Amino acid sequence: MIYAVWVPLLMPFVAVPTARRLADALSPVRAVRLLASTAVGLALFSTLALVLLVVPGATRLSAVAAVGELVKPLADVAPDVTVPLAAAAVALLAACAVAVARTARRHWAELHRAGVPADGSDGELTVVRDSRPDAYALPGLPGSPGRIVVTTGMLRALDPAERDALLAHERAHLAGRHHLFLAAAELAALCHPALRSLRAPMGYALERCADETAAAAVGDRRVAARAIGRAALAARAAEGTESRPRVALAATAGPVPRRVEALLGRATPRPRVGRAAAAALLACLALSGAAALDATHDLHSSIEVAQGESPQH
């Protein structure tokens, strides 16, 4: 067990460099799904590995041994190794639990505040009288569709066709519940430091999903590309995003030049790289999960032996 349990803890360092290539090499929808599966799966398996490291050291405590009806200590590893490992694992699990709880509570509070329009409007679109160009999608609470917020400055910066493309982009964020994918990536990053590097490609892939939806909605990829580019230039020139809620998703976020190139078909397609990266990630997930299950089985067998029973196979 002591060897298999390290695989889920080390696997994110191997998988993340491969995962970062998915956003450009696969279709946006597939990239989002695979990135989300990778982040959540690796986070769960690494957390399970920490739990498994706690148990051998914890059974050295007489109270835990009595609860587990152990007639002898687990014999896998010496106590001078298991006890420090258990203490470190407990500290890491506690830190992760606190960070996840705080982040989840903050995210819920931000969603609740975002769901209450300051002007009292209850429609999908809220137009704010502000000369600073800005536009973003505010996700709603479960059961709420959310809303799109756009300033008068942004409406003046775009022509009618570009406005339609921009609104279609923000509408795609709401319809796809993209904030949930970002929240999953953020929570996974709190469980393992290597997974922090997945947040940027996840955000890019989600913006690409909305870009493609906007292009299909207006029927012209060039119009969608022009809308995104002009909106980003206008927003950044005016520095008008200071008051934007953190849960907001905006068409002006992320690497806009790369997104425009993708819409215009100038990005070099790399289907082989995408397939290879996807296969490698699935292999990493499978190996991490198999190692976690193997470590769990070995620990269960060791506990049975410590209880004076014959291990089941």
Side-chain angles (χ1 to χ4, degrees):
M1 190 272 287
I2 195 63
Y3 300 107
V5 77
W6 291 105
V7 174
L9 294 173
L10 298 176
M11 192 57 66
F13 295 102
V14 178
V16 166
T18 302
R20 288 202 296 261
R21 301 181 180 182
L22 290 176
D24 284 319
L26 289 180
S27 69
V29 173
R30 291 181 178 178
V32 166
R33 291 174 179 172
L34 195 48
L35 284 169
S37 300
T38 298
V40 173
L42 293 179
L44 289 176
F45 294 142
S46 63
T47 302
L48 175 58
L50 289 177
V51 173
L52 294 176
L53 285 175
V54 171
V55 177
T59 57
R60 296 286 172 176
L61 300 174
S62 56
V64 176
V67 171
E69 299 180 351
L70 305 183
V71 297
K72 57 183 178 179
L74 300 184
D76 283 352
V77 185
D80 59 343
V81 176
T82 57
V83 173
L85 280 178
V90 167
L92 289 173
L93 286 170
C96 289
V98 170
V100 168
R102 287 179 176 175
T103 302
R105 185 169 61 250
R106 186 200 71 206
H107 186 75
W108 182 266
E110 289 172 350
L111 284 177
H112 188 270
R113 287 195 298 269
V116 181
D119 58 359
S121 62
D122 58 359
E124 178 198 46
L125 179 63
T126 299
V127 178
V128 179
R129 292 186 177 277
D130 192 335
S131 60
R132 296 173 301 177
D134 198 14
Y136 49 87
L138 278 178
L141 293 168
S144 172
R147 58 197 172 94
I148 300 169
V149 178
V150 60
T151 65
T152 52
M154 180 63 80
L155 294 177
R156 286 194 295 267
L158 305 177
D159 63 34
E162 292 166 351
R163 293 174 201 161
D164 290 341
L166 182 67
L167 295 178
H169 176 103
E170 306 301 355
R171 193 174 292 114
H173 280 315
L174 297 178
R177 308 294 287 178
H178 290 172
H179 69 286
L180 296 179
F181 291 97
L182 288 176
E186 184 176 0
L187 293 176
L190 297 175
C191 298
H192 197 291
L195 298 177
R196 295 172 186 170
S197 298
L198 291 184
R199 289 182 291 187
M202 172 68 81
Y204 171 72
L206 289 171
E207 291 301 328
R208 285 283 300 116
C209 285
D211 290 345
E212 292 297 328
T213 301
V218 299
D220 191 328
R221 299 180 68 84
R222 296 186 65 84
V223 169
R226 192 170 67 244
I228 292 165
R230 291 185 63 183
L233 289 173
R236 291 174 185 177
E239 298 182 353
T241 63
E242 295 88 347
S243 60
R244 181 188 298 167
R246 284 187 293 184
V247 293
L249 297 101
T252 57
V256 173
R258 282 170 59 196
R259 292 166 50 200
V260 170
E261 287 183 355
L263 278 171
L264 296 178
R266 296 172 183 169
T268 303
R270 296 181 295 172
R272 291 184 179 179
V273 173
R275 288 193 293 268
L281 275 187
L282 292 175
C284 288
L285 280 172
L287 182 59
S288 183
L293 290 176
D294 182 59
T296 303
H297 180 268
D298 286 350
L299 179 61
H300 182 264
S301 298
S302 298
I303 291 175
E304 287 184 332
V305 172
Q307 290 173 332
E309 302 176 6
S310 299
Q312 298 178 1
H313 298 284

